């Protein structure tokens, strides 16, 4: 028995080993006309084996590129599209750098820090106060979403000083309740109590059914 671990590795595994063997056979066909016809038949078969490519624009172009890649760029046939080269196929995309900036209070997210930085740079004092009030509203809503608990305004004010480095202050005149007040509160305890109540009712109904069944059986005896 032959195992794949002992065989030659295949170039594109999504097409399978049999497709690799067919392409290798076509590469060695000496008659160019027969080789061309065999390559076109393989393209049809590749489209059947990999139907997901049909959702891609110019999917036949993609199939011809795969055919040349499977043949290790040794197949000499006429293609309706420009032939890929081994040099362009081996090019690796540049790696994207991962952002390394730290978030001071992670439950508020990076966007809150960006808004705070924007508010600090505002020269108009009135606009800065309005923007600070809006940020405070959002912070309170975000905190409630994160903890599912009521949060005091004093905590939000202190967090605002921390994030802004003391540059922004939420004053007593600012209203930071509008967003969080309209937010529905998730009450897990009520859901748990309702589930227990429904379970008790089901058990009670089951007991009543058993009692009625026993009564019917007793009547039949007499």
């Amino acid at each position: 028995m032959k195992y794949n671990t002992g065989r030659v590795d295949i170039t594109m595994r999504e097409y399978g080993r049999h497709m690799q063997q067919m392409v290798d056979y076509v590469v060695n066909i000496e008659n160019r006309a027969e080789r061309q016809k065999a390559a076109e038949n393989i393209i049809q078969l590749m489209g059947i084996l990999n139907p997901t490519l049909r959702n891609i624009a110019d999917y036949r172009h993609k199939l011809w590129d795969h055919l040349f890649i499977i043949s290790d760029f040794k197949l000499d046939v006429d293609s309706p599209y420009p032939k890929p080269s081994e040099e362009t196929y081996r090019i690796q995309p540049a790696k994207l750098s991962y952002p390394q900036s730290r978030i001071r209070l992670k439950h508020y997210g990076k966007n809150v820090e960006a808004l705070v930085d924007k508010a600090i740079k505002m020269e108009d004092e009135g606009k800065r106060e309005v923007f600070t009030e809006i940020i405070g509203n959002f912070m309170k809503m975000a905190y409630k979403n994160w903890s599912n608990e009521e949060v005091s305004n004093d905590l939000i004010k202190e967090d605002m000083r921390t994030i802004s480095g003391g540059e922004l202050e939420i004053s007593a005149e600012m209203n930071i309740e509008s967003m969080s007040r309209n937010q529905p509160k998730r009450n897990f305890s009520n859901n748990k109590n309702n589930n227990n109540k429904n379970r008790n009712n089901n058990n009670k109904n089951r007991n009543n059914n058993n009692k009625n069944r026993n009564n019917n059986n007793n009547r039949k005896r007499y």
Side-chain angles (χ1 to χ4, degrees), residues 27-57:
V27 170
N28 296 320
I29 296 177
E30 295 182 359
N31 188 289
R32 184 176 181 83
E34 292 182 4
R35 188 167 64 246
Q36 180 71 34
K37 185 176 181 180
E40 292 173 356
N41 290 334
I42 287 179
I43 289 293
Q44 299 295 331
L45 181 59
M46 291 171 65
I48 296 173
L49 294 177
N50 203 348
T52 56
L53 288 178
R54 297 185 180 182
N55 299 327
I56 303 175

Side-chain angles (χ1 to χ4, degrees), residues 210-222:
N210 292 333
K211 187 182 295 184
N212 293 332
R213 192 179 296 110
N214 292 331
N215 291 334
N216 292 331
N217 291 333
N218 292 330
R219 290 196 194 96
K220 290 180 180 178
R221 292 177 183 175
Y222 296 104

Side-chain angles (χ1 to χ4, degrees), residues 143-151 185:
Y143 194 100
K144 291 184 69 175
N145 278 336
W146 172 68
S147 66
N148 194 37
E149 296 177 354
E150 291 296 332
V151 53
K185 183 179 179 181

Side-chain angles (χ1 to χ4, degrees), residues 53 102 105 109 121 127 145 150 168 185 203 217:
L53 288 178
R102 294 185 57 187
L105 298 175
K121 296 176 183 177
K127 290 183 178 180
N145 278 336
E150 291 296 332
L168 299 179
K185 183 179 179 181
N203 293 332
N217 291 333

